[in-house]
Amino acid sequence: MSVPLRTVQLNEANAFLKKHPEVLYVDLLIADMNGVVRGKRIERTALHKVYEKGINLPASLFALDINGSTVESTGLGLDIGDSDRICYPIPDTLSIEPWQKRPTAQLLMTMHELEGQPFFADPREVLRQVVSKFDEMGLTICAAFELEFYLIDQDNVNGRPQAPRSPISGKRPHSTQVYLIDDLDEYVDCLQDILEGAKEQGIPADAIVKESAPAQFEVNLHHVSDPIKACDYAVLLKRLVKNIAYDHEMDTTFMAKPYPGQAGNGLHVHISILDKKGNNIFASEDPETNDALRHAIGGVLETLPAQMAFLCPNVNSYRRFGAQFYVPNSPSWGIDNRTVAVRVPTGSADAVRIEHRVAGADANPYLLMASVLAGIHHGLTNKIEPGAPVEGNSYEQNEQSLPNNLRDALRELDDSEVMARYIDPLYIDVFVACKESELAEFENSISDLEYNWYLHTV
């Protein structure tokens, strides 16, 4: 006889509290539409009640703009009386927050209707619905993220970020120096604490590399055979990186394009798919001859314009694009080619996979994963051919054709019949309403550059 899930979860809580008698508080976390972590802090004595009964949070949590204000046009605010839904713990996410001075734990939550069914506007549920289509086919998704970020100084210059001084040399970095080990050494204590903190929290971060700009780094997560769990890890990793850096008297940014003239922050995702026997359906000595791989890529490329609002959800997201920064701007694919949107890394035949290279680090991992998997499923079920792989520089061979601004991306998403078959149209309406509200506010603002150009000249 199987043990009821609630009992298993209570056992998890009991074992954790017994192992960590020093814990005073528990942060209950839930990621909103923008991937921003929100929630409540409770005392340890209330943890069992959370596992037994959940906690109440308003449905409007998933109608918040980037500033944390409810977007009423979503219909999830005053129209429903700003009513509560119930949030339950996600198994195996209870862990220590290593940066806290007062011993504190954290626990990821997911929202449900009061009657028990998952809440449609929780991005985790949006992803779960897409994953269920692969479950019906007997397929298991393996996924891993690569997450880029900048370390920045806690003091900005006229509201703009600057690189932090090295704790070792006292100097601010100014050059690119991609993959330079010495730059890892300059910030070694902070970066090592990130890896050790990830290990303590059960986040499978296995490497940090120096990226293509001053004080820019990338954390690689190891693949897991659960795409929802892979997204959980990405959300928790961002929170860990921010707090560990702050402990080291530095700040961080996952903004897509924090510096003009420097590389932006990307969020690449690697995906392979296993059949019922555990075999990688993309495995091949010659990837071009693998039907499943080609069709999966074909579906991703066909739906890529409609995915863009999820991959690049903010006004700033589109400033990241440019050939010199290895950000693809057309639906393209290739074998071991970093100039394309969908790269197939070379290596052993069993390790053949898709690397999706378009999204920025400002994307919500759940929505990014949901949109990419929707494209893969669409391609597999409709046997969509991707065309020939690009050899050489894709930027010289393909004109920019993907939406290059948020308004066009939202229109593509809103008009896509394919995406509406995978992602609840009600959720698409909520997402588009939130982002159109942010876009309207942005377009109503007047920039410093406009004053510099026009105030005394026209």
Side-chain angles (χ1 to χ4, degrees), residues 130 133-134 137 139-143 227 269-274 281-282 291-304 307 342 353-356 368-384 418-419 422:
V130 178
K133 296 182 180 296
F134 289 85
M137 298 172 68
L139 299 175
T140 299
I141 300 155
C142 291
V269 60
H270 293 249
I271 295 173
S272 57
I273 298 177
L274 309 181
I281 68 170
F282 296 157
D291 290 344
L293 178 64
R294 287 200 326 276
H295 296 157
I297 293 171
V300 170
L301 298 185
E302 184 175 284
T303 57
L304 192 50
Q307 296 175 15
V342 177
R353 62 194 183 277
I354 286 172
E355 179 190 4
H356 197 288
L368 159 59
M369 185 73 77
S371 57
V372 174
L373 291 180
I376 289 175
H377 189 274
H378 174 64
L380 290 174
T381 54
N382 292 281
K383 296 181 169 51
I384 297 172
V418 173
M419 294 302 285
Y422 289 92

Side-chain angles (χ1 to χ4, degrees), residues 144-145 195 198 203-209 218-223 237:
F145 284 102
L195 288 178
I203 300 171
D206 57 11
I208 293 183
V209 298
E218 177 185 273
V219 181
N220 298 328
L221 290 167
H222 197 266
H223 70 271
L237 178 63

